[in-house]
Amino acid sequence: MKIDHLAETKNRTAHGLMREAIEIYVDKEEKREAFRQATLAAWQEFQETGLHVTGEEMDAWLESWGTENELPAPVCHT
């Protein structure tokens, strides 16, 4: 099996490799779900308040980063 060969190559047990892979997968999925929940909360807040910045405002701010004329972060508006 691939896992046995990899374990031998890495001088580890197959069980240890599988356990690490599962931990990495679970951490990644937890972060993905947290991001999804934050996105839904942000969408809900926008639906309730209408507060936003435009793409152009955000682009101008980001393009100014690291320049002598760095702009302050855009302010949300309706």
Side-chain angles (χ1 to χ4, degrees):
M1 282 179 59
K2 289 181 180 182
I3 190 77
D4 293 323
H5 178 69
L6 183 60
E8 186 177 321
T9 303
K10 299 269 187 191
N11 197 27
R12 299 194 44 203
T13 66
H15 175 79
L17 287 177
M18 289 185 282
R19 187 178 165 100
E20 181 182 355
I22 292 168
E23 288 174 6
I24 291 169
Y25 174 78
V26 169
D27 287 345
K28 182 175 132 185
E29 289 302 311
E30 285 176 340
K31 288 175 184 167
R32 184 177 297 189
E33 180 59 21
F35 180 74
R36 190 179 83 78
Q37 291 298 323
T39 301
L40 292 172
W43 176 247
Q44 182 65 36
E45 182 178 349
F46 170 72
Q47 296 284 29
E48 292 171 2
T49 66
L51 291 174
H52 68 284
V53 295
T54 66
E56 292 82 14
E57 292 166 332
M58 186 60 65
D59 285 343
W61 178 53
L62 293 174
E63 287 176 8
S64 77
W65 282 12
T67 69
E68 292 181 15
N69 299 319
E70 190 167 311
L71 300 171
V75 176
C76 291
H77 53 81
T78 53

